[in-house]
Amino acid sequence: MKDVNKTIFRYFFLIFLFFGLVLSGTIGMVYNLESKGYLKRLELEEQVNLKLQLSVIKNNLDAIISDLLFLSKQNELQHLINDNEQKYKDLISYEYLELCRNKRIYDQIRYLDRTGMEIVRVNYNSGDPKIVEQSGLQFKGNRYYFKDTSALEANEVFLSPLDLNIENGEIEKPFKPMIRFGVPIFDNKKNKRGVIIFNYLGGKLIDSLREAATLALGNIMLVNAEGYWLCSPIKDDEWGFMIKERNNRKFSLSYPKAWKEISSSDSYQIYNKNGLFTSATIYPLREGLKSSTGSAIAFGDSEKKLRSNEYYWKIISHIPVNDLKSVNRSLLFKLFLMAFLLFLLASIPSWIISKAIVQRKFHQMELYRSANYDKLTDLPNRSLFHDRLTQTLKQSRRYDREFALMFIDLDGFKLVNDTLGHDAGDELLIKTAKRLLSCVRESDTVARMGGDEFTIILQSISKNAESVAQKIINNLSDPFKLKKNNAQIGASIGISSFPDNGDDMETLLKKADQAMYEAKKGGKNGYRLSK
């Protein structure tokens, strides 16, 4: 707080003198600086907001594809393919039911044989999932999603466009946005035996965008590759590629200049006569996976196969020019008012402007900290840890240096959390973070990965990593004095080193994690070196 006040006073003094000497010049200069500063800050905030939205949506889509690929490798499914026994069908049905009930994002989960006949189907039923009886199973061999999924090879994924669900040839009302995911199924001899299809409730994705829009100044939109709105501030503009009377309602037609730039770049920001546009691109498929689609409306060519970088949506934030002008007019009025009051009491407007400038700077610093540091322990979070590990790898390769990576899991933390409460658990994590920092050098990185898991990068060190690990174990074994009671915990530590245990981030993390589990199996409160 002292630094904040000191900075505010410094700005106050300079601006006060400046106002006193050249009042008229100050009005123009402050207006110019403030308006540009506001726009720059706004641009940065919009970029950060879209980046966060992009990350959330990408993680959700990756989780869906992971669910799909996981079910495609089910042992029960292989048994059903080989033996066709009812008990395996029942096991698969119950597993689909539990996935549908717990995830609450799948409208249908189905396994179809190679002819297109449904073998297992679970319907979400608006929150009351049910296994469809044998008599209710249908033949879907003529549907595009079955044909396109069947045409794929192993580990290729079918992904339909985000569009509206159609029942009996009509768009279902109320509108139900839907994305179909599919993967082909193979037996042990690599013969294609069927497909698994997910009907994902795309409204979940759109609702998350609408929630984000309530916290942002810009209007958040989702646009497909043809420029049609999937999510718009004006709901009647949505789904123009499916609803005939809305066919001419496209972002690309309403804002052609902005669309030309946005459609040709993964991320773009432009300020023109229509306002400030900020865009980011979502690629629903992970790199290396493929998709095909049977939607002629969305892509024109029903037989076309799309690579992961050819199927995308655009998240676009738009701040209308009138909103920006309104802010600038408000700013200009305040400056004139301050100039008038300056003749009476010059210190008041000087103080207000100084405080605003400093608070803005500190707010930007807080934005950075919130994005890169754990709120509870103030340690680097997972994102910053991965960045630092990447930089450490680059430096170590370049200068032929060794370093060690530690994966730490607290032993006994859950017991403290369950018996003394979450407040005590949080207090314990904060004190644990301080003890970990005391065991390493300032050049090392201690990060919290989540829960009671921590990681440490020991820079330019690998041979004596064991002594550091033992120091940590001894330090954490000492009782913790908490507000409510004392607590005793331990730590299981896995250690991997560069380059002995791997030359890339994924390998080093995996081996450190495996070593940590070996330490737990060995009795906990100890460490293991990666083999």
Side-chain angles (χ1 to χ4, degrees), residues 380-393 445 447 449 455 457 505 509:
N381 61 16
R382 184 185 296 269
S383 174
L384 183 56
F385 166 76
H386 284 163
D387 181 69
R388 291 191 178 178
L389 181 54
T390 299
Q391 296 304 317
T392 300
L393 276 167
T445 295
M449 303 296 280
T455 52
I457 304 172
M505 180 169 63
L509 281 170

Side-chain angles (χ1 to χ4, degrees), residues 201-238:
L201 292 167
K204 301 284 186 181
L205 183 149
I206 293 173
D207 288 343
S208 69
L209 288 176
R210 295 199 192 282
E211 289 177 13
T214 62
L215 302 176
L217 180 60
N219 297 318
I220 301 295
M221 297 172 277
L222 186 65
V223 178
N224 70 11
E226 286 193 332
Y228 284 103
W229 275 293
L230 305 174
C231 174
S232 170
I234 303 173
K235 285 197 172 185
D236 287 344
D237 287 343
E238 297 173 346

Side-chain angles (χ1 to χ4, degrees), residues 394-436:
K394 289 179 180 179
Q395 293 294 318
S396 299
R397 292 186 190 117
R398 181 175 181 181
Y399 298 107
D400 195 24
R401 293 196 301 233
E402 298 178 341
F403 74 89
L405 176 65
M406 290 185 174
F407 206 105
I408 303 170
D409 188 86
L410 302 183
D411 299 325
F413 173 78
K414 186 177 184 300
L415 179 62
V416 174
N417 218 25
D418 291 343
T419 56
L420 300 182
H422 292 295
D423 290 342
D426 289 347
E427 184 183 0
L428 179 59
L429 288 173
I430 293 171
K431 292 191 174 184
T432 298
K434 292 180 179 179
R435 290 195 185 184
L436 290 174

Side-chain angles (χ1 to χ4, degrees), residues 131-411:
I131 298 172
V132 176
E133 299 294 335
Q134 181 72 33
S135 60
L137 299 176
Q138 302 176 28
F139 176 74
K140 300 293 183 180
N142 59 346
R143 299 304 298 272
Y144 76 89
Y145 54 82
F146 172 77
K147 292 179 180 179
D148 288 354
T149 304
S150 297
L152 297 178
E153 302 299 328
N155 292 321
E156 291 185 344
V157 173
F158 166 77
L159 181 61
S160 77
L162 172 55
D163 56 19
L164 298 177
N165 195 46
I166 296 177
E167 291 291 341
N168 300 316
E170 298 289 336
I171 296 174
E172 183 177 352
K173 293 184 179 180
F175 293 160
K176 184 186 284 186
M178 194 73 66
I179 309 175
R180 290 181 176 85
F181 294 78
V183 65
I185 303 302
F186 296 83
D187 60 21
N188 294 333
K189 297 180 180 180
K190 297 185 178 180
N191 296 316
K192 200 171 294 182
R193 300 298 296 274
V195 300
I196 293 177
I197 301 291
F198 283 176
N199 284 20
Y200 168 66
L201 292 167
K204 301 284 186 181
L205 183 149
I206 293 173
D207 288 343
S208 69
L209 288 176
R210 295 199 192 282
E211 289 177 13
T214 62
L215 302 176
L217 180 60
N219 297 318
I220 301 295
M221 297 172 277
L222 186 65
V223 178
N224 70 11
E226 286 193 332
Y228 284 103
W229 275 293
L230 305 174
C231 174
S232 170
I234 303 173
K235 285 197 172 185
D236 287 344
D237 287 343
E238 297 173 346
W239 314 111
F241 61 94
M242 297 193 72
I243 303 172
K244 186 176 181 181
E245 55 268 26
R246 301 182 185 179
N247 191 252
N248 62 344
R249 299 184 186 182
K250 301 174 68 173
F251 180 90
S252 57
L253 293 178
S254 297
Y255 308 104
K257 186 176 180 180
W259 177 248
K260 181 180 179 181
E261 304 294 342
I262 288 172
S263 61
S264 61
S265 176
D266 278 358
S267 60
Y268 197 76
Q269 193 165 57
I270 181 174
Y271 178 77
N272 61 25
K273 65 179 182 179
N274 296 118
L276 177 65
F277 293 90
T278 308
S279 71
T281 306
I282 305 172
Y283 294 99
L285 284 175
R286 294 196 299 256
E287 189 64 34
L289 298 177
K290 293 183 180 180
S291 171
S292 64
T293 175
S295 175
I297 295 174
F299 289 96
D301 183 359
S302 61
E303 300 300 325
K304 183 180 179 182
K305 279 194 174 185
L306 298 173
R307 294 187 298 274
S308 59
N309 64 343
E310 293 179 321
Y311 181 15
Y312 62 85
W313 308 313
K314 296 286 185 178
I315 303 181
I316 303 172
S317 171
H318 174 219
I319 303 177
V321 68
N322 287 338
D323 291 352
L324 295 172
K325 287 181 177 180
S326 176
V327 173
N328 286 337
R329 284 194 297 266
S330 176
L331 175 62
L332 186 59
F333 172 77
K334 290 177 182 178
L335 288 174
F336 273 114
L337 180 60
M338 284 190 290
F340 174 75
L341 295 175
L342 188 60
F343 286 104
L344 304 175
L345 194 60
S347 60
I348 295 177
S350 301
W351 176 261
I352 293 173
I353 295 174
S354 301
K355 190 174 182 180
I357 293 172
V358 174
Q359 285 180 338
R360 186 188 314 124
K361 291 180 180 295
F362 277 87
H363 175 65
Q364 291 171 343
M365 293 172 61
E366 284 301 315
L367 279 177
Y368 173 80
R369 290 200 66 82
S370 65
N372 292 279
Y373 288 84
D374 179 59
K375 291 182 180 179
L376 180 64
T377 62
D378 206 36
L379 293 176
N381 61 16
R382 184 185 296 269
S383 174
L384 183 56
F385 166 76
H386 284 163
D387 181 69
R388 291 191 178 178
L389 181 54
T390 299
Q391 296 304 317
T392 300
L393 276 167
K394 289 179 180 179
Q395 293 294 318
S396 299
R397 292 186 190 117
R398 181 175 181 181
Y399 298 107
D400 195 24
R401 293 196 301 233
E402 298 178 341
F403 74 89
L405 176 65
M406 290 185 174
F407 206 105
I408 303 170
D409 188 86
L410 302 183
D411 299 325

Side-chain angles (χ1 to χ4, degrees), residues 120-134:
V120 177
R121 186 175 89 202
V122 171
N123 291 338
Y124 184 57
N125 292 327
S126 300
D128 184 24
K130 300 291 184 184
I131 298 172
V132 176
E133 299 294 335
Q134 181 72 33

